[in-house]
């Protein structure tokens, strides 16, 4: 069985939309694209380098199109990205010139992929895909980078359909610019109780 790891940059209020550039995703009138840029520093760069290790990718169609337009010519920024398998969940897209791209059509295809042999599978961006994975308990780990700002509006990491689930913190650090990097592993059901009882 393969682990599905969601890597996400989020604000304090959970917004994950268009972290990289102003024109990345302006849907819904979003005007804060590129909100991560002011927080990039050497510590953050080292964490990113470690996290962008060679792993297969599972992407939604929109994120795949952004990646396919950029990464084939910029592999020096993400060594190995052109060689790993890129799994794309899409009902409309069936092929791409980006090598090692495989197209999936349904949740059943994702479940079959998760139950196959191979490397870990990383999910970047892909807000609708992440909602589908969270709703169906298919996320093994969350690697979050939490930025010290709120944006109020925008696509959220935890939105409609997220199931109750417990996670255990497996690694954490804080950058000089205040970004909290926290990696969580799925840890069974939510436990409740009474404080002080």
């Amino acid at each position: 069985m393969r682990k599905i790891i969601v890597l996400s940059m989020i604000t304090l209020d959970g917004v994950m939309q268009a972290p990289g550039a102003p024109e990345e995703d302006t849907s819904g009138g979003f005007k804060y694209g590129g909100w991560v840029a002011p927080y990039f520093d050497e510590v953050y760069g080292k964490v990113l380098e470690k996290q962008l290790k060679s792993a297969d990718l599972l992407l939604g169609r929109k994120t795949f199109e952004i990646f396919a337009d950029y990464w084939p010519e910029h592999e020096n920024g993400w060594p190995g990205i052109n060689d790993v398998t890129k799994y794309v969940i899409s009902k409309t897209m069936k092929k791409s010139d980006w090598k090692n791209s495989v197209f999936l059509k349904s949740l059943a295809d994702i479940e079959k992929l998760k139950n196959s042999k191979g490397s870990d599978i990383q999910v970047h961006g892909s807000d609708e895909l992440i909602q589908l994975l969270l709703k169906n308990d298919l996320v093994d780990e969350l690697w979050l980078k939490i930025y010290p700002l709120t944006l109020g509006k925008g696509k959220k990491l935890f939105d409609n359909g997220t199931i109750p689930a417990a996670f255990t913190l497996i690694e954490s650090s804080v950058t000089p610019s205040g970004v909290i990097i926290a990696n969580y592993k799925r840890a069974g059901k939510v436990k409740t109780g009474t404080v002080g009882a």
Side-chain angles (χ1 to χ4, degrees), residues 9 15 20 23 45 59-60 69 86 90 100 107 111 119 138-139 151 180 187-189:
M9 300 175 222
V15 173
E23 66 284 347
L59 304 169
D69 190 47
K86 278 75 66 179
S90 175
N100 302 324
L107 178 64
E111 290 170 335
S119 71
L138 293 173
V139 176
L151 296 177
I180 298 169
K189 296 182 178 180

Side-chain angles (χ1 to χ4, degrees), residues 1-168:
M1 186 178 286
R2 304 168 78 172
K3 281 195 299 189
I4 293 181
I5 302 167
V6 169
L7 294 90
S8 189
M9 300 175 222
I10 60 171
T11 62
L12 291 172
D13 56 341
V15 173
M16 62 176 290
Q17 186 170 350
E23 66 284 347
E24 186 178 339
D25 179 2
T26 57
S27 62
F30 191 72
K31 58 186 178 187
Y32 297 106
W35 49 268
V36 304
Y39 299 95
F40 199 88
D41 55 39
E42 191 178 328
V43 173
Y44 184 91
K46 285 182 180 171
V47 169
L48 204 55
E49 192 177 306
K50 181 180 168 188
Q51 290 188 346
L52 297 181
K53 64 181 181 177
S54 189
D56 289 342
L57 303 177
L58 174 61
L59 304 169
R61 180 189 54 79
K62 288 180 250 177
T63 299
F64 175 80
E65 287 176 340
I66 292 167
F67 278 27
D69 190 47
Y70 180 82
W71 286 113
E73 305 301 321
H74 299 88
E75 188 176 11
N76 59 326
W78 190 344
I81 189 167
N82 291 323
D83 298 321
V84 300
T85 304
K86 278 75 66 179
Y87 296 97
V88 190
I89 183 86
S90 175
K91 292 177 181 164
T92 56
M93 210 173 180
K94 293 179 175 47
K95 63 179 183 147
S96 170
D97 291 335
W98 195 12
K99 69 178 182 176
N100 302 324
S101 297
V102 176
F103 292 85
L104 309 176
K105 293 181 183 170
S106 66
L107 178 64
D109 290 341
I110 296 172
E111 290 170 335
K112 187 176 175 184
L113 174 64
K114 182 171 171 40
N115 289 315
S116 67
K117 290 183 180 177
S119 71
D120 291 345
I121 302 165
Q122 292 187 352
V123 181
H124 297 261
S126 309
D127 62 290
E128 289 177 29
L129 170 60
I130 290 172
Q131 303 310 316
L132 180 68
L133 296 172
L134 288 169
K135 185 177 184 179
N136 290 280
D137 202 13
L138 293 173
V139 176
D140 297 290
E141 293 183 15
L142 292 165
W143 293 3
L144 306 180
K145 292 177 227 31
I146 306 161
Y147 289 76
L149 75 159
T150 57
L151 296 177
K153 294 183 178 179
K155 296 173 182 173
K156 306 259 176 138
L157 176 62
F158 302 106
D159 211 346
N160 300 327
T162 300
I163 63 165
F167 289 83
T168 299

